Amino acid sequence: MWFLGVDLAWGFRRPSWVCVLEREKKCLWREFFSFVTLKEWEERLRALPPGSIVAFDAPLLVTVEKGLRTAERELLPCLRRRHSGILPINLSIAHRRYPALFPFWESVRRNFSLALDFSAKHRHAFEAFPPLSILGFFGDAGLALYRSECLWELGELFRGEGSPLHIENLEECLSACLCPSPGKKDRFDAFICACTALFAGQYGKDALRTFGDEEGFIVLPSWTGEPS
């Protein structure tokens, strides 16, 4: 089974980064790759086997015309307590600032199931938010590392006894992710999204918290602690 994390650029003028994990008898990191056009991304999608899970750091379903989606409204109290926020998204904002999201959303509807029924043989997709995934995996200590961009130290937490996941070639993955080249932070967010997809596949929807409703939802792994 394949697990992908996508840090979407919210447009098609600069690269979006993807991290690919595979789990059979053990879990392995396979690659990072980037794409710029929607055509490039859909060509990659065709190579994915059924049962793949993809976590996007991007909205996948937006129906509200103005204001905030329920997902963002539910998350804001948690984020504000940690002196953070989230980028608002609605159809009005997307039309003005992110028109490339509309063909992307159409592609998601064509290629993915947005239901959290991972037993079905479909390509599954859900929204993730890397800072909250870190919070779900490693609590506020992990979030502090993320905010201070201590990314190697944060990545090493996945090797520790308190990690919910084990990636066999984690050091190779982190070396490729954090090499001093453009896109390092985007690759790391893609890695965190891929870990969120892996967690969802390994533990199932009962180990996830979801925020939102039919307007779109964001998934948070619930491991060391939950935002309240």
Side-chain angles (χ1 to χ4, degrees):
M1 193 167 184
W2 294 72
F3 305 90
L4 277 67
V6 182
D7 183 73
L8 192 73
W10 285 51
F12 301 114
R13 293 185 298 274
R14 63 184 184 88
S16 297
W17 280 95
V18 183
C19 175
V20 182
L21 305 175
E22 182 185 11
R23 189 188 69 198
E24 290 184 3
K25 293 182 179 179
K26 55 187 178 182
C27 180
L28 293 170
W29 165 72
R30 289 300 184 190
E31 65 173 329
F32 289 99
F33 68 86
S34 63
F35 65 91
V36 175
T37 69
L38 190 59
K39 181 180 178 182
E40 289 177 294
W41 166 242
E42 291 199 332
E43 286 174 352
R44 285 280 190 160
L45 271 185
R46 284 193 281 273
L48 283 183
S52 304
I53 302 177
V54 184
F56 290 86
D57 181 11
L60 300 182
L61 179 62
V62 178
T63 62
V64 61
E65 183 65 35
K66 295 182 179 179
L68 291 177
R69 298 187 307 170
T70 302
E72 281 80 10
R73 288 202 306 271
E74 290 177 353
L75 283 170
L76 272 176
C78 163
L79 293 169
R80 284 171 175 158
R81 283 196 295 274
R82 291 169 172 84
H83 308 288
S84 185
I86 195 167
L87 186 67
I89 186 66
N90 57 43
L91 293 178
S92 177
I93 290 172
H95 276 294
R96 293 197 317 270
R97 300 182 59 187
Y98 308 110
L101 283 176
F102 288 94
F104 167 72
W105 289 335
E106 292 172 5
S107 173
V108 168
R109 286 193 292 271
R110 286 197 309 270
N111 291 290
F112 290 101
S113 166
L114 300 184
L116 296 181
D117 177 15
F118 302 132
S119 62
K121 294 298 183 182
H122 298 292
R123 298 188 189 102
H124 299 276
F126 60 76
E127 297 178 35
F129 187 48
L132 285 180
S133 288
I134 291 295
L135 183 65
F137 285 139
F138 303 118
D140 282 305
L143 185 60
L145 289 174
Y146 180 86
R147 285 180 168 172
S148 59
E149 298 198 9
C150 298
L151 301 183
W152 186 271
E153 292 89 338
L154 181 53
E156 284 290 312
L157 292 180
F158 285 94
R159 194 196 304 275
E161 292 182 1
S163 173
L165 304 170
H166 178 73
I167 300 169
E168 192 79 13
N169 56 345
L170 177 65
E171 188 167 353
E172 183 183 357
C173 171
L174 293 176
S175 294
C177 177
L178 300 176
C179 64
S181 63
K184 178 173 73 172
K185 180 65 164 52
D186 297 333
R187 286 193 299 272
F188 192 81
D189 282 351
F191 165 71
I192 296 302
C193 287
C195 289
T196 308
L198 175 62
F199 181 90
Q202 184 166 325
Y203 294 98
K205 62 182 179 181
D206 290 341
L208 305 172
R209 291 193 68 190
T210 60
F211 298 83
D213 55 19
E214 67 277 358
E215 295 170 345
F217 59 87
I218 297 171
V219 168
L220 169 66
S222 179
W223 184 253
T224 63
E226 299 178 349
S228 59

